[in-house]
Amino acid sequence: MLLEHINEPKDLKELSVEQLGQLAEEIREFLIEKLSATGGHLAPNLGVVELTLALHYLYDSPKDKFIFDVGHQSYVHKILTGRKEQFDTLRKYKGLCGFVKRSESAHDVWEAGHSSTSLSAAMGMALARDLKGENNKVVAVIGDGALTGGMALEALNHIGHEKSNVTVILNDNEMSIAPNVGALHHYLGKIRTDRHYQKAKDELQQLLNKVPAIGGKLAKTAERLKDSVKYLLVNGGILFEQFGFTYFGPVDGHDMNQLLDVMEQANNVTGPVLIHILTVKGKGYSPAEADSHKWHGISPYKIESGQVLKAVGPPMYTEVFSDALMELAAEDNRIVAVTPAMPGGSGLLKFAERFPGRMIDVGIAEQHAATMCAALAMEGMKPVYAVYSTFLQRAYDQVVHDICRQNLNVVFAIDRAGFVGPDGETHQGVYDIAYLRHIPNMVLMMPKDENELRQMMKTAMDYSDGPIAIRYPRINGLGVAMEPVMTPIPIGQWETVREGDSAAIIAIGPMVQVAEEAAELLKREGLNIRVVNARFVKPLDEEMLLQLADEGLNMLVLEEGCEQGGLGSAVLEFYSLRNKRDVSVRIKGVPDVYVEHGSIKEQRQEIGLTAEDTAAELKAMLPRVRKRVNGPA
Ligand SMILES: Cc1ncc(C[n+]2csc(CCOP(=O)(O)OP(=O)(O)O)c2C)c(N)n1
Ligand SMILES: CC(=O)[C@@H](O)[C@H](O)COP(=O)(O)O
Ligand SMILES: [Mg+2]
């Protein structure tokens, strides 16, 4: 076994190309075995084994800087840089991060999790290098999916302009998470299917050979035609060449010899270089090769059968959203679903099958998706922008400038709101309450359970006065009864789910259940805690807030979102703006920290968002309670 002797990149340098090939197979077996227990981004990593070996074989990390776009395909890099022993902790609490992580290794020079940032980072590092008079290599590895992200094209444009010494390795496996989309994808496809080019080129040559030697101008024209057509055919990377890059490729990204050869050639070129490699997502594990969409990010599985060990239970909120949307779309053909490259994760695959042409995947283009939805609404359609909370951060200006300011009736279906678990700090959906609620015309709501999500879907579809957003978490529902008819909820109306006169918890989303559990704990201590389902962040239920203040109840606002600017801030602002000085409000949410990977349960424990924490928080707020003398409360 070669892998056991590889503890840092220099251990690769003595290996032969054949040994590198053997090592690649050992790494594949390692990944398949380890991730069967931990889950993770298996397919992307199986596709970059040879590439990552070639990088560490040829270059000198960390002096030479490797920047992995998104970073979900950095497991091989981690194996080669001294972290293979930690793979049993991958994406677990306080364990190995599933993305590049500077605190883990000096070889991790740039972190991500969100797509399409690698080329901008590469430009910055190259510029710093040049200004400091240093001479290290800067290499960005970007996938064909990430290349559809606007930032990547902005950076490509700038790098070509600056003619910086940057090497871009385009890992083209024809997949984003789902099959990739876009004109660029089709362009790459043309280059990829070079056998057609090859055939055309050969036919052209044979044709020209048959033409009897013709003198004069015609001969010259024919020659020029042949050369320009040949150039175009041969040099599929014409687009990148026009951007100022020297294009190499397409290269078989699993052929060590080809990879090393082309990367050595590229090493001798000054200015921007783009190496286009063709890989297979999921290479070496047949279930992943057969369905790399499913195996992009996978739960633990049985290696032999490829059977995924999914926990059973009530439907995920995403599934409830998807079913409700299809029910509503069957009745309203204005409804169009828009996703930035997440049709699977956002639950839109069945919708796309059932309503052909009404599910639009724009690629990794959250900003474009938002403004396109604004225009769809402007023209009388009912766009449903399905997006993860964390990825909607990319489109903040478009939400303000194009959608809310023009007061357009876009429905935001914000998934992964709150803690997301294993993806950790780059993916936590804990900022959208803060970055949406202050925008004029926005309506923002969150259900306490899956049945209320259905009601909110109907509420949103019936609402036509401007933008409206529903946020829901990356968890299973509570298993509550689902009312067959979706009944809309009056906009801005909260709900008291538990009566009480000792204090009140104002909770949102899954925190309502936590609040009820805390109230149950405190009941044993003679406290009657009221629980309010603050299902609208905007508008607030002003009547209920004034009533709570009039009753003089101590209030604890409980939210799985940032405390600064969140629901609690909204409540405090409400009272302050009305000069209500004699109110007691405390906020319990996510403090000013990043919450790293682990399970959602562990993340709540770390932050103090459990029922026990909430009970303790409330007791600390209340004057010592005298035991009731006459019987239970
Ligand atoms: C801004 C943003 N939007 C969406 C995602 C979700 N996402 C993660 S990886 C990925 C696809 C990346 O495709 P590609 O770059 O081709 O890499 P591959 O997995 O094919 O190796 C997407 C859409 C993200 N991480 N960041
Ligand atoms: C790397 C990336 O951003 C996506 O693969 C993300 O991990 C998907 O998240 P879900 O697993 O919540 O769909
Ligand atoms: Mg890809």
Side-chain angles (χ1 to χ4, degrees):
M1 282 285 275
L2 290 168
L3 184 55
E4 59 198 32
H5 305 295
I6 305 296
N7 296 302
E8 51 184 321
K10 73 174 177 51
D11 300 334
L12 295 174
K13 305 291 186 187
E14 306 312 316
L15 297 183
S16 67
V17 175
E18 290 66 34
Q19 285 174 317
L20 287 174
Q22 181 196 327
L23 183 55
E25 291 322 304
E26 290 180 22
I27 290 172
R28 279 198 169 85
E29 281 165 35
F30 177 90
L31 286 170
I32 293 164
E33 192 256 322
K34 291 294 181 186
L35 269 66
S36 69
T38 63
H41 288 97
L42 180 66
N45 282 282
L46 288 173
V48 296
V49 176
E50 288 82 6
L51 169 62
T52 313
L53 278 168
L55 284 171
H56 279 292
Y57 181 78
L58 275 179
Y59 295 103
D60 181 16
S61 169
K63 174 177 172 287
D64 295 331
K65 299 180 187 300
F66 301 156
I67 302 164
F68 292 92
D69 204 288
V70 182
H72 64 310
Q73 78 298 52
S74 60
Y75 298 1
V76 182
H77 165 74
K78 295 195 178 203
I79 291 167
L80 299 176
T81 51
R83 286 169 275 181
K84 63 178 180 292
E85 286 73 23
Q86 298 169 48
F87 263 75
D88 295 323
T89 71
L90 180 66
R91 294 160 44 97
K92 297 201 178 312
Y93 188 64
K94 303 297 178 199
L96 206 57
C97 177
F99 302 95
V100 174
K101 189 78 187 155
R102 291 184 298 140
S103 59
E104 285 180 9
S105 166
H107 293 278
D108 289 19
V109 296
W110 180 260
E111 297 181 5
H114 284 195
S115 174
S116 317
T117 65
S118 63
L119 303 192
S120 303
M123 180 63 217
M125 291 188 178
L127 188 54
R129 172 201 62 201
D130 299 345
L131 291 169
K132 291 187 287 182
E134 293 167 358
N135 65 351
N136 57 284
K137 291 285 182 190
V138 175
V139 184
V141 175
I142 186 167
D144 53 319
L147 195 62
T148 64
M151 271 187 77
L153 302 175
E154 291 168 15
L156 212 59
N157 183 46
H158 184 220
I159 294 168
H161 171 75
E162 297 288 350
K163 297 184 176 46
S164 300
N165 284 326
V166 169
T167 299
V168 174
I169 297 179
L170 171 55
N171 173 29
D172 179 4
N173 54 25
E174 301 183 76
M175 296 294 287
S176 187
I177 294 182
N180 203 1
V181 298
L184 198 52
H185 167 62
H186 295 304
Y187 172 72
L188 294 176
K190 282 205 191 87
I191 304 174
R192 194 184 299 117
T193 53
D194 70 337
R195 59 188 179 289
H196 299 309
Y197 281 113
Q198 196 60 43
K199 191 162 170 294
K201 198 173 56 175
D202 295 347
E203 279 172 5
L204 180 75
Q205 191 57 53
Q206 288 156 21
L207 193 66
L208 289 168
N209 291 343
K210 282 186 190 130
V211 173
I214 32 181
K217 200 166 165 17
L218 193 59
K220 282 197 175 47
T221 308
E223 203 49 40
R224 269 204 302 277
L225 175 70
K226 188 191 86 177
D227 287 347
S228 58
V229 170
K230 195 170 81 174
Y231 176 80
L232 275 177
L233 289 175
V234 163
N235 196 329
I238 185 86
L239 175 77
F240 302 110
E241 297 271 345
Q242 295 302 308
F243 264 87
F245 285 72
T246 302
Y247 170 86
F248 288 88
V251 177
D252 177 349
H254 300 299
D255 180 323
M256 250 5 240
N257 279 307
Q258 274 197 45
L259 272 176
L260 294 173
D261 179 42
V262 78
M263 288 164 80
E264 278 162 352
Q265 285 181 53
N267 248 350
N268 302 321
V269 171
T270 52
V273 166
L274 186 133
I275 302 172
H276 178 195
I277 72 170
L278 308 182
T279 60
V280 174
K281 196 163 182 176
K283 175 88 176 171
Y285 184 56
S286 48
E289 285 192 32
D291 185 354
S292 63
H293 186 174
K294 172 183 167 185
W295 289 82
H296 169 85
I298 200 74
S299 302
Y301 54 89
K302 284 187 179 154
I303 296 171
E304 304 69 34
S305 62
Q307 185 204 347
V308 177
L309 314 175
K310 268 251 190 257
V312 287
M316 298 283 285
Y317 277 84
T318 307
E319 189 184 338
V320 173
F321 155 74
S322 172
D323 292 344
L325 183 64
M326 288 191 283
E327 263 181 71
L328 292 158
E331 304 300 321
D332 184 347
N333 58 18
R334 297 175 303 150
I335 293 173
V336 179
V338 175
T339 174
M342 310 290 285
S346 295
L348 294 176
L349 295 176
K350 282 194 282 186
F351 182 97
E353 266 178 46
R354 189 162 159 201
F355 303 100
R358 290 168 62 184
M359 195 286 278
I360 315 292
D361 178 355
V362 298
I364 306 179
E366 285 82 4
Q367 297 172 334
H368 162 61
T371 303
M372 186 182 80
C373 285
L376 280 164
M378 184 75 85
E379 295 304 304
M381 301 306 290
K382 190 87 173 178
V384 176
Y385 184 2
V387 62
Y388 290 13
S389 163
T390 191
F391 300 143
L392 183 59
Q393 291 165 193
R394 275 278 166 91
Y396 176 74
D397 183 52
Q398 288 75 19
V399 173
V400 176
H401 177 266
D402 299 318
I403 297 173
C404 293
R405 189 187 52 78
Q406 297 191 97
N407 200 27
L408 294 169
N409 188 213
V410 173
V411 176
F412 293 87
I414 302 174
D415 201 336
R416 276 55 172 190
F419 291 141
V420 296
D423 274 340
E425 61 189 72
T426 53
H427 285 62
Q428 302 293 17
V430 295
Y431 306 110
D432 63 273
I433 288 180
Y435 73 71
L436 290 176
R437 71 173 182 87
H438 59 266
I439 309 173
N441 296 334
M442 178 59 83
V443 171
L444 176 59
M445 55 187 167
M446 181 176 205
K448 69 175 183 295
D449 59 36
E450 61 272 36
N451 181 53
E452 194 164 60
L453 173 56
R454 282 174 54 81
Q455 296 170 39
M456 289 189 169
M457 288 292 290
K458 178 66 176 159
T459 306
M461 294 309 163
D462 286 359
Y463 184 77
S464 55
D465 296 343
I468 185 164
I470 313 171
R471 65 192 304 268
Y472 44 93
R474 185 183 190 262
I475 56 176
N476 296 78
L478 300 179
V480 299
M482 302 286 265
E483 293 160 46
V485 176
M486 290 185 252
T487 314
I489 302 167
I491 298 291
Q493 187 190 78
W494 289 359
E495 174 195 27
T496 299
V497 293
R498 182 190 179 106
E499 290 299 346
D501 56 7
S502 307
I505 305 176
I506 298 173
I508 183 165
M511 293 298 109
V512 173
Q513 184 193 31
V514 172
E516 289 186 278
E517 289 167 2
E520 205 48 43
L521 291 174
L522 292 172
K523 184 177 170 189
R524 297 173 207 151
E525 303 189 34
L527 288 168
N528 281 326
I529 304 298
R530 185 177 309 177
V531 176
V532 172
N533 170 18
R535 54 194 176 183
F536 285 88
V537 174
K538 184 175 192 181
L540 296 171
D541 187 328
E542 300 193 1
E543 190 183 322
M544 188 174 288
L545 280 170
L546 292 173
Q547 181 194 332
L548 288 165
D550 292 348
E551 291 183 48
L553 282 181
N554 285 288
M555 290 172 264
L556 174 64
V557 181
L558 194 60
E559 55 190 308
E560 196 175 278
C562 59
E563 289 168 349
Q564 298 175 72
L567 173 65
S569 300
V571 170
L572 284 172
E573 290 159 16
F574 172 81
Y575 287 129
S576 166
L577 293 169
R578 286 158 186 76
N579 238 354
K580 288 278 180 188
R581 278 192 275 266
D582 51 350
V583 290
S584 156
V585 177
R586 285 180 66 163
I587 305 173
K588 184 66 201 132
V590 179
D592 197 21
V593 295
Y594 293 102
V595 182
E596 295 193 340
H597 51 282
S599 69
I600 290 175
K601 181 167 181 258
E602 288 163 331
Q603 290 164 346
R604 287 181 183 171
Q605 285 167 341
E606 178 180 308
I607 295 299
L609 286 174
T610 66
E612 294 71 18
D613 299 316
T614 304
E617 192 82 29
L618 264 167
K619 277 173 67 180
M621 283 171 68
L622 298 177
R624 190 156 301 291
V625 177
R626 277 181 298 102
K627 284 269 178 246
R628 288 179 183 277
V629 288
N630 45 4

